[in-house]
Amino acid sequence: MDADATFMAEAMLMAEEALAAGEVPVGCVFIRGNSIIAKARNRTNQLRNATRHAELEAIDEILADSTLTPLGMSTQYPLSDTTLYVTVEPCIMCASALRQLGIKCVFYGCENDRFGGCAGVISVNKRLEHPSHPPYEAIGGYARDEAILILRRFYVTENSNAPVPKSKANRVLKTEILPR
């Protein structure tokens, strides 16, 4: 298995952990020097905080560890030598945070048609001009089918954390995935 597949498989394990915890199943890993330096999953329901996306959870872990953000590193862009693997395209909020922290590159599974910040809705990563934060490459399609299926597995279940839970007793898990 190549490195991209290995790292995306680790992100998928975090997504499975999120699913088991009743969260939208998104997982990620941050890579530096061919090693995982942080990994996380969504925790929005658990913490009752809509900003606790997998990417921001892992970023907090990185920024809190002085060995991962030593004084010699660019404090303006602490992720400049870091790559992210995430199961779903980062939302606009996360894509913007990644740009502000100078992420090197992002590999993601499936597009986020409703909130995507790299291709789905708006390309915060490189198409929006910014006077100081450099753009970054975002490449989709890694473990795309698996990422779509785990999201579908979540969305056919009843979300007890939703403000007004909808009955989904008649929903059936669709396993056919259309090409892009």
Side-chain angles (χ1 to χ4, degrees):
M1 190 182 310
D2 69 0
D4 291 332
T6 299
F7 294 136
M8 190 55 79
E10 286 293 323
M12 287 301 300
L13 287 175
M14 296 307 297
E16 288 285 351
E17 189 177 301
L19 180 65
E23 299 281 355
V24 174
V26 178
C28 71
V29 295
F30 281 79
I31 309 303
R32 187 179 292 154
N34 215 26
S35 297
I36 295 173
I37 62 166
K39 57 185 177 179
R41 62 171 177 82
N42 274 4
R43 295 189 344 147
T44 58
N45 292 334
Q46 176 186 350
L47 299 175
R48 299 204 182 287
N49 181 337
T51 68
R52 299 295 55 195
H53 292 191
E55 299 94 328
L56 296 182
E57 286 285 304
I59 287 169
D60 283 353
E61 183 180 324
I62 293 167
L63 296 179
D65 185 339
S66 62
T67 65
L68 298 176
T69 52
L71 295 176
M73 285 183 67
S74 166
T75 54
Q76 182 178 7
Y77 299 117
L79 300 181
S80 62
D81 61 351
T82 308
T83 298
L84 168 65
Y85 290 82
V86 61
T87 57
V88 177
E89 172 191 1
C91 71
I92 294 167
M93 172 183 68
C94 292
S96 179
L98 291 164
R99 185 165 180 177
Q100 292 174 49
L101 293 168
I103 193 80
K104 180 178 169 183
C105 186
V106 173
F107 294 93
Y108 62 88
C110 61
E111 286 187 0
N112 183 340
D113 294 334
R114 294 181 68 194
F115 307 108
C118 297
V121 175
I122 189 168
S123 294
V124 173
N125 63 310
K126 66 180 179 180
R127 290 211 172 95
L128 279 180
E129 292 297 320
H130 195 281
S132 61
H133 301 307
Y136 62 88
E137 191 70 31
I139 305 161
Y142 287 82
R144 177 181 175 268
D145 293 359
E146 295 90 333
I148 290 170
L149 282 175
I150 195 169
L151 287 170
R152 287 181 181 173
R153 285 172 43 209
F154 174 79
Y155 285 112
V156 298
T157 63
E158 302 206 18
N159 182 359
S160 60
N161 295 305
V164 181
K166 297 178 184 173
S167 175
K168 298 183 180 179
N170 296 327
R171 291 219 177 157
V172 176
L173 178 64
K174 296 177 186 173
T175 56
E176 179 186 2
I177 298 178
L178 301 174
R180 286 185 185 185

